[in-house]
Amino acid sequence: MKTKSNAMARPRVVRGALIHYNEIALKGKNRGFFLKQLQNNLLAATRDLGCGPLERLAGRLFLTTSEETSWEVLRQRLSRIFGIANFAPAFTMAPNLELLAQRIEEEVSGRSFRSFRVAARRAFKTFPQTSQQINEMIGARVQRICGARVDLTNPDLTIAIEVLPNEAFVYFEKLLGPGGLPVGTGGTVACLLSGGIDSPVAAYRMMKRGCRIVFVHFHSQPFADRTSQDKAIELVRLLTRCQFTSRLYVVPFGEIQQEVVAHVTGRLRVPVYRRLMLRIAEQIARKEGAQALVTGESLGQVSSQTIENIATIEQVSTLPILRPLIGMDKDEITQQAQQIGSYDVSIIPDQDCCSMFLSRQVATHTTHHEVELAERPLDLDRLTAQAHATAHSIELSFPL
Ligand code: ATP
Ligand code: MG
């Protein structure tokens, strides 16, 4: 499928999705970069739906659909592409008022509505009629054939018309996109993904700000079953609908934890596990060209997430750590997980590696000094090398 630009008036009626963006429009000189990425993402997300070409027009995109295209499937796909503010099933044709009126008459005559309004917008002021004149002319024609009354505040049907120099677009319903910035415009980051509720939401929120995510999951096999790994794979599969290809690193952590248990006093084990995870994840991130780590931490949610412990844990990372959920309540995070569709997977019972090998006492106010002392008996280089030697990666893509 190709993108195209058109310089001549559109010769015939073409159906497709009219796509609007908002934040990208503010990007000044970088707008081209953001739009190019949005176009690439749109093409990737719809490559199996018989759509195309994708046209870039002033302030909007138009994706032509074919008879093969299921609008319902396309709607779901577009509703997950970050950077889209809203989109509409639309048709486009030459910007000729009489032809437009005829076509709109045909389109609305099959619909049942008691009230309507016409909402015309001219992107260019060279069109001979003003928006108000277009509204009045089309409105009168629709009223004559349908007998419906005009209602400017709460109509059953809104006939939206957008007039550009070479074409006009018409649509009757506008659907919300997810907003945000196109994935790929914000660099690559590595997300530490447990099987829990929080980290998939954290990944989602960073994708929404344009980041491409590499996922890293630690598991305790052979001391636990495969459940946490299967959950991580399923969560990445869900999130891949927003970034189209993903890589998930699955890292065995059980034997490393056994060594920690053998050498580190119970109350300091969680910060020591977390520091080891960060060291390992950072090496993976650097190999993948990722510029930051992402976690699902939320301040005060559990003992490892006090401000003191967050400071002790992050000390080992030389990459920035992004915590998009830090100021969110569990209820807010849960709601978002339900919206994304990750919640039902996250609540499947499993043994998270940090809840295994846990001591009953967990220190809530650790210092760098005491955790560094606690780590001294561990051969950190050997343990991180062991993690890399035994880790494997899984590739996922969407659409399949
Ligand atoms: P989550 O719901 O994401 O598991 P949580 O509230 O259970 O978070 P913790 O268990 O303290 O909190 O984990 C904090 C963060 O550390 C997680 O959000 C995740 O980013 C990372 N993390 C924890 N366990 C793992 C794991 N097994 N693999 C990868 N990352 C993990
Ligand atoms: Mg957890």
Side-chain angles (χ1 to χ4, degrees), residues 63-289:
L63 178 64
T64 300
T65 50
S66 69
E67 300 212 325
E68 212 188 298
T69 312
S70 150
W71 178 259
E72 183 48 31
V73 177
L74 181 61
R75 187 188 61 72
Q76 282 173 14
R77 302 268 175 99
L78 297 182
S79 70
R80 292 193 202 103
I81 299 179
F82 294 123
I84 296 181
N86 60 66
F87 59 97
F91 66 85
T92 176
M93 57 189 290
N96 171 306
L97 202 52
E98 175 53 33
L99 293 179
L100 267 171
Q102 286 173 17
R103 185 72 202 189
I104 290 171
E105 280 177 2
E106 282 171 37
E107 294 276 336
V108 299
S109 57
R111 291 173 179 256
S112 115
F113 55 99
R114 278 177 303 182
S115 60
F116 76 102
R117 74 177 174 132
V118 184
R121 256 174 40 199
R122 297 179 309 166
F124 289 82
K125 305 300 172 203
T126 47
F127 194 71
Q129 287 81 19
T130 64
S131 301
Q132 186 52 28
Q133 287 168 332
I134 302 173
N135 289 345
E136 285 168 9
M137 189 276 202
I138 303 272
R141 296 276 292 259
V142 170
Q143 206 167 24
R144 208 178 57 209
I145 64 153
C146 299
R149 72 189 157 80
V150 173
D151 179 344
L152 298 182
T153 46
N154 192 22
D156 289 346
L157 181 72
T158 295
I159 302 169
I161 306 173
E162 296 183 15
V163 184
L164 271 61
N166 297 318
E167 60 260 288
F169 295 92
V170 180
Y171 53 90
F172 305 105
E173 100 186 287
K174 193 148 102 175
L175 302 158
L176 269 191
L181 294 170
V183 169
T185 57
T188 302
V189 297
C191 179
L192 284 85
L193 185 81
S194 69
I197 293 171
D198 305 325
S199 38
V201 177
Y204 179 86
R205 291 183 79 100
M206 294 320 301
M207 281 178 181
K208 184 165 176 177
R209 296 312 299 162
C211 293
R212 170 163 289 290
I213 313 264
V214 175
F215 297 92
V216 185
H217 174 70
F218 296 90
H219 68 81
S220 296
Q221 253 194 324
F223 306 104
D225 63 19
R226 276 195 53 89
T227 314
S228 88
Q229 287 171 74
D230 291 339
K231 284 173 66 177
I233 294 170
E234 182 57 18
L235 291 168
V236 174
R237 198 186 61 73
L238 287 174
L239 292 164
T240 301
R241 297 180 303 184
C242 301
Q243 67 171 13
F244 322 117
T245 57
S246 300
R247 181 170 297 154
L248 163 66
Y249 282 85
V250 179
V251 186
F253 200 59
E255 287 176 11
I256 296 175
Q257 285 180 289
Q258 262 194 324
E259 288 208 27
V260 174
V261 170
H263 295 104
V264 176
T265 172
R267 56 184 280 284
L268 295 179
R269 279 178 204 155
V270 169
V272 170
Y273 295 151
R274 285 278 188 276
R275 283 161 63 103
L276 274 159
M277 282 185 180
L278 283 188
R279 289 185 180 99
I280 297 162
E282 174 164 348
Q283 287 172 2
I284 292 173
R286 290 198 180 277
K287 187 173 95 178
E288 289 286 331

Side-chain angles (χ1 to χ4, degrees), residues 329-357:
D329 293 346
K330 194 74 189 185
D331 282 350
E332 293 169 320
I333 300 170
T334 301
Q335 250 180 32
Q336 178 121 65
Q338 281 162 337
Q339 277 165 15
I340 302 168
S342 58
Y343 181 77
D344 291 341
V345 180
S346 291
I347 58 169
I348 297 169
D350 69 347
Q351 292 171 298
D352 181 61
C353 60
C354 288
S355 57
M356 299 185 70
F357 304 105

